[in-house]
Amino acid sequence: MKILKIDHLGIAVNSIDEGKTFWSDIMGLDFAGSETVTEQKVTTGFFPVGASEVELLESTAPDGPIAKYLGKKGPGIQHVAFQVENIEDALAELKAKGVLLIDEKPRIGAGGAKIAFLHPKATYGVLVELCERS
Ligand code: ZN
Protein backbone atom coordinates (compact mmCIF):
# COMPACT_ATOMS: atom_id res chain seq x y z
CA MET A 1 0.00 0.00 0.00
CA LYS A 2 1.30 3.42 -0.86
CA ILE A 3 -0.09 6.48 0.95
CA LEU A 4 0.48 9.63 -1.10
CA LYS A 5 -0.66 12.36 1.28
CA ILE A 6 -3.26 13.45 3.80
CA ASP A 7 -6.07 14.20 1.36
CA HIS A 8 -8.40 16.00 3.71
CA LEU A 9 -9.62 16.42 7.26
CA GLY A 10 -13.36 15.72 7.55
CA ILE A 11 -14.91 18.12 10.07
CA ALA A 12 -18.53 17.75 11.20
CA VAL A 13 -20.37 21.07 11.47
CA ASN A 14 -23.94 22.09 12.19
CA SER A 15 -23.91 23.99 8.89
CA ILE A 16 -21.39 24.74 6.16
CA ASP A 17 -22.28 28.44 6.43
CA GLU A 18 -21.43 28.43 10.11
CA GLY A 19 -18.14 26.63 9.41
CA LYS A 20 -17.31 29.15 6.68
CA THR A 21 -17.32 32.01 9.15
CA PHE A 22 -14.27 30.48 10.83
CA TRP A 23 -12.42 28.66 8.04
CA SER A 24 -12.92 31.33 5.38
CA ASP A 25 -13.66 34.67 7.04
CA ILE A 26 -11.20 34.26 9.92
CA MET A 27 -8.60 31.73 8.72
CA GLY A 28 -8.61 33.10 5.17
CA LEU A 29 -9.04 29.81 3.30
CA ASP A 30 -10.77 29.93 -0.08
CA PHE A 31 -14.12 28.18 -0.28
CA ALA A 32 -13.90 25.87 -3.30
CA GLY A 33 -17.56 24.86 -3.39
CA SER A 34 -19.89 22.28 -1.95
CA GLU A 35 -21.37 19.00 -3.04
CA THR A 36 -24.16 16.81 -1.69
CA VAL A 37 -23.53 13.07 -1.53
CA THR A 38 -27.11 11.81 -1.30
CA GLU A 39 -26.18 8.22 -0.45
CA GLN A 40 -24.24 9.40 2.61
CA LYS A 41 -26.80 12.06 3.61
CA VAL A 42 -24.15 14.73 3.72
CA THR A 43 -23.23 18.01 2.08
CA THR A 44 -19.50 18.62 1.90
CA GLY A 45 -17.76 21.98 1.62
CA PHE A 46 -14.13 22.20 0.51
CA PHE A 47 -11.38 24.57 1.63
CA PRO A 48 -8.06 23.71 -0.05
CA VAL A 49 -4.91 23.98 2.09
CA GLY A 50 -1.78 23.30 0.04
CA ALA A 51 -2.05 19.74 -1.26
CA SER A 52 -4.79 18.91 1.25
CA GLU A 53 -8.22 20.22 2.12
CA VAL A 54 -10.46 20.98 5.03
CA GLU A 55 -13.74 19.23 4.24
CA LEU A 56 -16.75 20.45 6.22
CA LEU A 57 -19.56 17.93 6.61
CA GLU A 58 -23.16 19.01 7.11
CA SER A 59 -25.88 16.42 7.53
CA THR A 60 -28.82 16.42 5.13
CA ALA A 61 -30.98 14.08 7.24
CA PRO A 62 -31.49 13.47 10.97
CA ASP A 63 -30.59 9.77 10.58
CA GLY A 64 -27.39 10.38 8.59
CA PRO A 65 -23.93 9.47 9.90
CA ILE A 66 -22.95 13.11 10.44
CA ALA A 67 -26.15 13.88 12.34
CA LYS A 68 -25.43 10.88 14.57
CA TYR A 69 -21.86 12.02 15.08
CA LEU A 70 -22.97 15.55 16.02
CA GLY A 71 -25.54 14.14 18.43
CA LYS A 72 -22.91 12.06 20.22
CA LYS A 73 -19.84 14.26 20.09
CA GLY A 74 -20.80 17.68 18.75
CA PRO A 75 -18.90 19.49 15.99
CA GLY A 76 -15.27 18.53 15.40
CA ILE A 77 -12.86 16.35 13.42
CA GLN A 78 -14.86 13.33 12.28
CA HIS A 79 -12.33 11.60 10.02
CA VAL A 80 -8.89 11.82 8.44
CA ALA A 81 -8.54 10.87 4.78
CA PHE A 82 -5.38 9.49 3.19
CA GLN A 83 -4.95 9.40 -0.54
CA VAL A 84 -3.61 6.05 -1.73
CA GLU A 85 -2.29 5.00 -5.10
CA ASN A 86 -4.65 2.04 -5.47
CA ILE A 87 -7.56 1.67 -3.07
CA GLU A 88 -8.46 -1.93 -3.98
CA ASP A 89 -4.87 -3.03 -3.26
CA ALA A 90 -4.82 -1.06 -0.02
CA LEU A 91 -8.09 -2.64 1.19
CA ALA A 92 -6.89 -6.14 0.27
CA GLU A 93 -3.63 -5.57 2.14
CA LEU A 94 -5.36 -4.20 5.23
CA LYS A 95 -7.86 -7.05 5.24
CA ALA A 96 -5.01 -9.57 4.99
CA LYS A 97 -3.42 -7.85 8.00
CA GLY A 98 -6.63 -8.36 9.99
CA VAL A 99 -7.77 -4.73 10.00
CA LEU A 100 -11.51 -4.30 10.54
CA LEU A 101 -13.00 -2.44 7.58
CA ILE A 102 -16.27 -0.54 7.37
CA ASP A 103 -16.13 -0.75 3.57
CA GLU A 104 -14.66 -3.89 2.08
CA LYS A 105 -15.17 -2.40 -1.35
CA PRO A 106 -14.73 1.24 -2.32
CA ARG A 107 -17.73 3.47 -2.93
CA ILE A 108 -17.95 6.80 -4.71
CA GLY A 109 -17.57 9.89 -2.55
CA ALA A 110 -17.46 13.63 -3.18
CA GLY A 111 -15.60 14.67 -6.31
CA GLY A 112 -16.04 11.20 -7.80
CA ALA A 113 -13.22 9.79 -5.66
CA LYS A 114 -13.20 6.13 -4.69
CA ILE A 115 -13.40 6.02 -0.89
CA ALA A 116 -13.51 3.46 1.91
CA PHE A 117 -13.51 3.71 5.69
CA LEU A 118 -11.56 1.65 8.21
CA HIS A 119 -13.22 0.85 11.51
CA PRO A 120 -12.11 3.13 14.38
CA LYS A 121 -11.80 0.03 16.60
CA ALA A 122 -8.86 -1.02 14.41
CA THR A 123 -7.15 2.38 14.35
CA TYR A 124 -6.98 3.47 18.00
CA GLY A 125 -10.04 5.65 17.72
CA VAL A 126 -9.49 7.47 14.43
CA LEU A 127 -12.05 7.12 11.66
CA VAL A 128 -9.66 6.67 8.72
CA GLU A 129 -10.83 7.17 5.15
CA LEU A 130 -8.81 5.97 2.20
CA CYS A 131 -9.39 7.68 -1.12
CA GLU A 132 -8.15 7.28 -4.64
CA ARG A 133 -8.47 10.10 -7.12
CA SER A 134 -8.05 9.57 -10.83
ZN1 ZN B 1 -13.80 12.46 3.68
Side-chain angles (χ1 to χ4, degrees):
M1 167 170 58
K2 186 165 183 197
I3 294 178
L4 303 173
K5 65 175 188 182
I6 292 183
D7 189 85
H8 61 270
L9 298 175
I11 300 177
V13 290
N14 292 313
S15 80
I16 304 263
D17 279 347
E18 184 184 287
K20 256 192 202 166
T21 59
F22 177 71
W23 292 103
S24 209
D25 301 351
I26 295 174
M27 295 292 274
L29 298 180
D30 287 329
F31 175 55
S34 62
E35 181 182 339
T36 297
V37 183
T38 311
E39 184 220 354
Q40 290 177 53
K41 298 178 180 173
V42 70
T43 296
T44 57
F46 304 101
F47 301 81
V49 184
S52 301
E53 288 183 319
V54 166
E55 179 187 86
L56 299 185
L57 306 160
E58 174 186 330
S59 186
T60 60
D63 62 340
I66 295 304
K68 285 181 190 158
Y69 182 89
L70 287 168
K72 259 192 262 172
K73 299 191 176 175
I77 294 187
Q78 195 254 352
H79 67 269
V80 179
F82 295 89
Q83 188 181 349
V84 294
E85 212 165 61
N86 183 308
I87 196 165
E88 284 86 1
D89 287 356
L91 290 172
E93 181 180 331
L94 290 167
K95 197 177 178 188
K97 287 177 175 171
V99 174
L100 189 59
L101 305 173
I102 292 177
D103 301 300
E104 302 229 336
K105 283 181 186 156
R107 47 197 161 109
I108 301 301
K114 287 198 244 179
I115 67 166
F117 287 94
L118 317 186
H119 202 289
K121 276 182 190 162
T123 64
Y124 302 96
V126 180
L127 179 57
V128 172
E129 174 187 335
L130 301 181
C131 69
E132 179 189 327
R133 298 182 185 279
S134 49

